[in-house]
Amino acid sequence: MNLFTGLDPTIVEWVIIPLLIFFARIVDVTLGTLRIVFISKGDKMIAPALGFLEVLIWLVAITQVMQNLNNVASYLAWAGGFATGNFLGLRIEQKLALGQMVVRVITVDSAHQLIERLKGHGYRLTCVDARGTRGKVNLLFMIVKRKKLAHVLDIIREYNPQAFYSIEDVRSVSDYGVPQEESERGLSLRRIFPLRKGK
């Protein structure tokens, strides 16, 4: 390669090329992981852009591997970059905490204090009287931003540690019933990134 003119060919073949493959693979797999996350959220703008970059970088990496088929280090760099990219992509996705979650809480004990506490923190919820195998229960439904999920669970554990809860991803939510502060933040974000919600 012209870029490495003047360098020791052995170093180029066994160090520089494998490192380029390794880092290119990290980037393209990380982008791929994030692309899948955005697809699952119904995003129609960011996912294609990430897909374009992902494939472009992948082509660069696979070209280097095909040009160095006799180099075991290239294979190891490819596999190592793939594994590291998956790990890094998941870590970034966790830090971004994209999307919203539906939290269902089933409690046998009185849910009055728990409801008041959640309402006090601005969370919207629906409470339904239901019947379980052991008698009457309270069933709570909430839609919360993923970034605030840990806070909600802390409140549930504090006020009703015996409560049963389940959590699921939500693809899209109507703006009706969303607290004004969160709605305004969403509007300001959409002005910068005009994204459409999934159907």
Side-chain angles (χ1 to χ4, degrees):
M1 293 181 65
N2 296 332
L3 289 174
F4 306 120
T5 302
L7 295 176
D8 186 342
T10 303
I11 294 176
V12 172
E13 181 179 0
W14 292 95
V15 178
I16 295 178
I17 295 298
L19 281 176
L20 288 175
I21 294 171
F22 178 74
F23 287 113
R25 209 55 189 125
I26 287 177
V27 174
D28 96 80
V29 174
T30 299
L31 291 175
T33 304
L34 294 175
R35 175 180 57 81
I36 291 170
V37 170
F38 280 105
I39 287 174
S40 70
K41 304 297 181 186
D43 185 274
K44 297 177 182 177
M45 298 293 290
I46 296 180
L50 291 177
F52 176 83
L53 292 174
E54 175 193 355
V55 172
L56 188 63
I57 296 169
W58 180 86
L59 286 172
V60 172
I62 193 65
T63 299
Q64 293 306 313
V65 171
M66 298 303 291
Q67 290 176 354
N68 296 274
L69 290 175
N70 61 338
N71 187 348
V72 177
S74 295
Y75 298 124
L76 295 176
W78 179 274
F82 181 83
T84 307
N86 275 291
F87 174 79
L88 188 60
L90 290 172
R91 291 292 295 171
I92 292 174
E93 192 273 336
Q94 289 172 355
K95 292 293 184 182
L96 290 176
L98 300 169
Q100 302 185 75
M101 317 290 287
V102 58
V103 180
R104 299 182 186 89
V105 184
I106 300 174
T107 172
V108 176
D109 300 329
S110 172
H112 179 72
Q113 284 187 316
L114 175 60
I115 292 170
E116 291 303 315
R117 179 70 169 178
L118 290 168
K119 287 168 60 179
H121 282 276
Y123 297 112
R124 302 291 179 87
L125 57 88
T126 299
C127 181
V128 178
D129 292 329
R131 181 171 293 277
T133 55
R134 299 181 181 178
K136 291 183 178 180
V137 296
N138 295 121
L139 181 58
L140 279 63
F141 293 91
M142 287 179 287
I143 301 291
V144 298
K145 290 189 177 294
R146 193 170 161 198
K147 291 180 180 180
K148 297 186 176 182
L149 179 61
H151 182 238
V152 170
L153 296 182
D154 286 341
I155 295 174
I156 294 171
R157 294 188 189 108
E158 178 185 354
Y159 282 85
N160 204 325
Q162 303 301 318
F164 171 83
Y165 59 84
S166 62
I167 303 163
E168 293 179 24
D169 279 319
V170 176
R171 183 163 181 173
S172 63
V173 178
S174 66
D175 289 334
Y176 179 77
V178 176
Q180 185 66 24
E181 180 185 356
E182 294 187 7
S183 181
E184 289 175 356
R185 281 201 299 266
L187 286 172
S188 62
L189 186 62
R190 283 195 290 273
R191 288 190 193 105
I192 300 171
F193 302 105
L195 307 178
R196 294 182 180 178
K197 294 183 178 181
K199 293 182 180 179

